[in-house]
Amino acid sequence: MSLMKSWVTSANSPDTDFPLNNLPYGVFSTGADEARCGVAIGDQILDMAALEAAGIVSLGTEAVFDLPFWNDVMELGADAWSALRNRLLQLLASGAPEQSLVAPHLIAMTDAQLHMPVVVSEFTDFYASRHHATNVGTMFRGAQNALPPNWLHIPIGYNGRASTVVVSGTDIRRPMGQLMELDAAMPSFGPCKRLDIELEIGAIVGTSTEMGTRINVAQADAMIFGYVLLNDWSARDIQAWEYQPLGPFQAKAFATSISPWIVTPAALAPFRTSTPAREHELLPYLREDAPMLFDIDLAVDIQPQGGTAETIARTNYNEMYYSAAQQLTHHASSGCAMNAGDLLGSGTISGPEKHQCGSLLELSWGGKEPMTLANGDTRSFVEDGDTMTLRGHAQGDGYRVGFGTCSGTVLPAIVT
Ligand code: MN
């Protein structure tokens, strides 16, 4: 696969996240306009509501783009998803006869505000990178018991909160919580002192399953509408005190950030790759008959207040032990109903090397090995005023399929 040329010239740059090959879906507004569906192309946004109103794009009789979410498009199903992509490829390709009709409906990204691209039905977060699970297990339980006995058999997850999933650019308030300080006799309530990020990929489920039914991995893969970057903000001190025996609760409930553009499986198709060799063969219901992971380069940047951004970690989505399709299959395996708009977090993505870790907990090894930033500051965890940014793209030959960024700036806790 190589760059597909567009008449939108900024989409032909090898550095843009949004060439014609990508066509990710978002929600935007300009000025006082209503938020509506848009597609990123180079440094522009294609106004889908305007295209629909002009009769240039249609997915049936109902208007589906004049809405501040993509859920209605999702619910039309996979045939509609591919029809939409094919129509957009046709309209935006170099030499398209429709260029003069479409061009008036492009809006400069710099003039637009981006919003949540979907109404998130429910949020489930997994724990599916072996290096991350091993690192965290080593810190919390010791090297002997690092990987729990179920880990190589089940994509472990917990039910998170959809109510606090926010779009990139939303400020994040440092949470308050119940903490057990080292050597304290009793717990206390106060601001989190070990605020962390988790670098993840979020999978957005596009179609539903009935309660009581199961799906196989291929069916699950076909149900995924797209992928976003996801930062599962985590309060490590609250988590360490509360997590046994039911897993994280308030430590994760206060905020989750996602990137504004939904990158489709169709755009990522050239970058499919397989999950790693299995130490134990998986049970038949979890077996994949095709590559279900993607080769996506990922990075974490930190920018202290008033300082410059620097990259503190680089890893790749291909480090996962379980794919999103396997996670979705497992999620529905008891008969749990899945809905359009469900968001599944991959789990923190860490590689084998220290600089490939997707959390500060691992990068600073639980605060024992603070990082030194370019401005001389040290960091074990996120400080007030820090802006944390996730970036990601799949690298093609002379082009990239990018996710844009997923950023959040941390504000001080409200203590009173
Ligand atoms: Mn997580």
Side-chain angles (χ1 to χ4, degrees):
M1 183 66 74
S2 53
L3 174 74
M4 300 163 81
K5 284 256 172 81
S6 172
W7 52 262
V8 181
T9 51
S10 60
N12 299 327
S13 158
D15 301 322
T16 181
D17 273 353
F18 310 121
L20 183 58
N21 307 58
N22 192 348
L23 301 177
Y25 303 144
V27 167
F28 76 101
S29 62
T30 52
D33 289 355
E34 298 275 322
R36 56 205 184 270
C37 293
V39 174
I41 178 79
D43 59 8
Q44 305 287 308
I45 298 172
L46 186 59
D47 183 338
M48 293 303 297
L51 277 195
E52 188 175 51
I56 301 168
V57 169
S58 170
L59 290 180
T61 50
E62 300 274 317
V64 288
F65 299 113
D66 191 16
L67 297 167
F69 45 78
W70 281 79
N71 300 59
D72 282 31
V73 175
M74 287 180 209
E75 290 182 12
L76 294 174
D79 288 348
W81 308 347
S82 52
L84 171 60
R85 180 172 173 85
N86 289 337
R87 181 65 176 147
L88 291 169
L89 287 171
Q90 189 182 47
L91 293 174
L92 292 166
S94 277
E98 297 91 344
Q99 177 175 345
S100 62
L101 293 176
V102 173
H105 305 301
L106 289 172
I107 287 154
M109 245 178 227
T110 49
D111 292 340
Q113 171 154 15
L114 298 175
H115 305 272
M116 280 289 290
V118 291
V119 176
V120 177
S121 304
E122 299 191 54
F123 171 48
T124 306
D125 194 39
F126 287 86
Y127 187 57
S129 147
R130 187 168 185 168
H131 298 292
H132 172 71
T134 303
N135 288 337
V136 173
T138 301
M139 276 181 266
F140 278 42
R141 287 180 298 276
Q144 291 300 93
N145 303 309
L147 218 51
N150 54 6
W151 200 91
L152 294 167
H153 303 278
I154 294 182
I156 297 175
Y158 64 93
N159 288 305
R161 293 295 300 175
S163 60
T164 28
V165 179
V166 295
V167 74
S168 173
T170 307
D171 290 338
I172 304 299
R173 181 70 63 181
R174 177 178 298 273
M176 300 287 285
Q178 187 175 136
L179 315 165
M180 180 58 105
E181 307 258 17
L182 205 63
D183 301 327
M186 294 289 282
S188 55
F189 189 82
C192 165
K193 294 188 175 119
R194 289 159 73 94
L195 182 61
D196 201 355
I197 58 146
E198 291 192 340
L199 166 61
E200 305 192 19
I201 292 275
I204 295 170
V205 177
T207 54
S208 305
T209 65
E210 293 282 331
M211 181 177 174
T213 65
R214 299 189 305 268
I215 45 174
N216 64 35
V217 180
Q219 288 169 323
D221 186 62
M223 284 173 61
I224 295 172
F225 183 67
Y227 294 89
V228 291
L229 301 171
L230 186 150
N231 182 353
D232 175 26
W233 297 92
S234 299
R236 299 301 181 195
D237 39 7
I238 298 171
Q239 184 179 358
W241 174 232
E242 75 176 3
Y243 87 106
Q244 300 200 67
L246 290 185
F249 186 46
Q250 294 304 291
K252 305 276 194 170
F254 62 96
T256 303
S257 301
I258 65 169
S259 53
W261 296 107
I262 303 170
V263 178
T264 62
L268 291 168
F271 309 100
R272 279 190 181 260
T273 184
S274 295
T275 46
R278 303 293 159 177
E279 193 165 312
H280 300 296
E281 196 177 358
L282 293 173
L283 291 171
Y285 82 100
L286 284 175
R287 285 181 207 153
E288 298 166 307
D289 56 8
M292 301 275 176
L293 274 186
F294 299 95
D295 179 352
I296 301 169
D297 289 323
L298 299 165
V300 179
D301 295 348
I302 187 170
Q303 181 175 16
Q305 193 163 29
T308 52
E310 63 185 278
T311 300
I312 54 174
R314 287 181 195 278
T315 185
N316 192 294
Y317 184 54
N318 65 18
E319 295 288 352
M320 304 307 294
Y321 195 77
Y322 296 101
S323 64
Q326 285 175 313
Q327 293 172 332
L328 177 52
T329 299
H330 182 65
H331 206 322
S333 64
S334 62
C336 173
M338 303 303 298
N339 289 311
D342 279 348
L343 175 65
L344 309 186
S346 60
T348 311
I349 304 164
S350 294
E353 307 289 333
K354 182 78 179 286
H355 69 276
Q356 295 172 330
C357 289
S359 69
L360 298 191
L361 179 72
E362 295 164 271
L363 291 166
S364 74
W365 205 252
K368 292 196 178 83
E369 299 166 19
M371 292 173 286
T372 302
L373 305 183
N375 67 359
D377 281 7
T378 58
R379 282 292 182 285
S380 292
F381 294 97
V382 184
E383 303 285 340
D384 291 345
D386 287 349
T387 299
M388 305 301 298
T389 300
L390 314 182
R391 294 179 288 118
H393 69 268
Q395 184 63 54
D397 182 13
Y399 76 103
R400 52 167 57 175
V401 169
F403 285 73
T405 56
C406 177
S407 281
T409 299
V410 172
L411 305 180
I414 298 174
V415 178
T416 50

